[in-house]
Amino acid sequence: MRICFQLQVKHDLIDEYVSKHKEVWPQMLQAIEQSGRRNYSLFLREDGLLIGYYETDDDAASQAALDSDPRTAAWEAEMADFFVSLAGRPDQGAPRLSEVFNLEDQLAAATH
């Protein structure tokens, strides 16, 4: 399952947000990995538009694992102030984007 989400980083906090993500806390990295998320990336535009992407076998289970993991609470609380109009925890309160095209899926379908 491929998941893509969108957030808006406050313009005056963009540099700090980028800086914090150069070395994410090791315990947070472990929690993300152990939740079942993989191939996780964040992309940031100059105006603060943030697009996140990850893959997981079960997004609900992954979210539940992160929500109940004590290692994530402090990081997510610290990150919450970076975003415009966000209710809840950053990765879980972010609006999801619908996938409308995937090259590998269409190539696989075309060869069958």
Side-chain angles (χ1 to χ4, degrees), residues 10-109:
K10 294 175 183 173
H11 193 267
D12 59 326
L13 297 177
I14 291 173
D15 290 341
E16 185 179 354
Y17 182 82
V18 170
S19 178
K20 288 198 177 283
H21 280 81
K22 288 185 180 189
E23 291 189 33
V24 173
W25 302 341
Q27 65 269 24
M28 187 63 197
L29 298 174
Q30 293 166 352
I32 293 169
E33 181 182 43
Q34 291 169 2
S35 77
R37 291 182 180 181
R38 58 191 178 277
N39 198 22
Y40 197 147
S41 295
L42 297 172
F43 302 89
L44 183 63
R45 199 166 67 184
E46 288 180 6
D47 65 358
L49 175 68
L50 181 78
I51 301 295
Y53 173 86
Y54 60 89
E55 296 168 0
T56 184
D57 295 329
D58 183 339
D59 194 37
S62 174
Q63 286 190 32
L66 288 170
D67 190 42
S68 65
D69 191 322
R71 296 174 294 180
T72 66
W75 175 266
E76 291 184 352
E78 187 170 325
M79 291 300 107
D81 291 337
F82 284 92
F83 302 107
V84 175
S85 302
L86 178 64
R89 298 169 78 162
D91 282 2
Q92 299 180 39
R96 298 294 199 259
L97 303 176
S98 298
E99 183 176 34
V100 297
F101 170 79
N102 181 274
L103 176 64
E104 286 76 18
D105 288 352
Q106 289 200 21
L107 286 172

